[in-house]
Amino acid sequence: MTTRLEHNADATRYEIYIDGTLAGYADYNERTVGDTPARDLQHTLTFPEFRGRGVAAQVVEFALRDSRDNGFAIIPTCWYVEKFIAEHREYADLVA
């Protein structure tokens, strides 16, 4: 099984592919909080046939790392993103 993570900037989402098939994504909007650019992670989706494999966690962690690497803060509108950050405190500093 091969996993590929991508930032699809045109669709404003992060995607995860398993064996070449889109398995899920996390979408966002960009805005500014004060003077800080931020990505509002609004929705995370895992397609039913891929649930139970940690797909959402992988795509959210990828989105958080990529956002950090590119100077973005995070607005965790999506409940799953909020829960993930609460459980992985190393990303707490990203929250706008």
Side-chain angles (χ1 to χ4, degrees), residues 31-39 73-75 95-96:
R31 58 184 169 148
T32 303
V33 176
D35 292 331
T36 305
R39 288 187 174 142
I74 294 296
I75 302 164
V95 177

Side-chain angles (χ1 to χ4, degrees), residues 14 26 31-32 34 36 39 45 47 52 56-58 67 85-86 89 96:
Y14 289 91
R31 58 184 169 148
T32 303
T36 305
R39 288 187 174 142
L45 178 124
F47 293 106
Q58 289 179 71
S67 294
I85 291 171
R89 300 305 298 163

Side-chain angles (χ1 to χ4, degrees), residues 19-54:
D19 292 334
T21 301
L22 181 65
Y25 60 85
D27 61 10
Y28 66 90
N29 282 330
E30 288 184 1
R31 58 184 169 148
T32 303
V33 176
D35 292 331
T36 305
R39 288 187 174 142
D40 182 352
L41 293 169
Q42 298 178 323
H43 182 70
T44 303
L45 178 124
T46 301
F47 293 106
E49 60 271 27
F50 296 101
R51 291 185 183 151
R53 300 186 198 182

